[in-house]
Amino acid sequence: MLPCLNKKLLGFECLGCGIQRATALFFRGEFFAAFKMYPALYTLLLLAGFLIINMFIKIKYSEKIKILLVVLNIAIILGNFIIKQFN
């Protein structure tokens, strides 16, 4: 696994810390452990899947759905970051 340079140089985790390990856990079938490692993994996969499907199939209200998914991802990532800082 690649080390987090932010954590090495500055001493605290970045907003993306844990996503690499969570993805590895996800592909090993350890879904709950992946969620505990990086909760936004599932919503990021949902967003990526939606964007890929929307390239081939035009979906009604796709812009609103994209905005909702992006805001949801940002909220989960920031929430996870804040929780990690205080634990």
Side-chain angles (χ1 to χ4, degrees):
M1 299 270 167
L2 296 172
C4 177
L5 291 176
N6 191 51
K7 190 171 183 176
K8 274 188 160 185
L9 298 175
L10 302 176
F12 61 90
E13 294 185 353
C14 67
L15 294 173
C17 273
I19 194 167
Q20 187 180 28
R21 290 171 286 165
T23 303
L25 288 169
F26 178 80
F27 284 118
R28 277 191 245 139
E30 300 177 38
F31 303 114
F32 185 69
F35 178 79
K36 283 176 59 178
M37 181 69 60
Y38 197 76
L41 176 68
Y42 293 103
T43 54
L44 287 169
L45 291 173
L46 180 65
L47 176 61
F50 179 78
L51 292 174
I52 291 169
I53 290 170
N54 194 43
M55 286 185 346
F56 300 106
I57 301 170
K58 296 302 171 198
I59 299 171
K60 191 175 183 179
Y61 305 116
S62 65
E63 291 301 316
K64 290 182 181 181
I65 294 170
K66 283 183 221 175
I67 291 170
L68 176 72
L69 288 172
V70 168
V71 169
L72 178 64
N73 278 304
I74 291 170
I76 292 171
I77 290 169
L78 287 175
N80 186 44
F81 176 74
I82 291 168
I83 288 170
K84 282 183 180 180
Q85 297 307 311
F86 292 110
N87 284 331

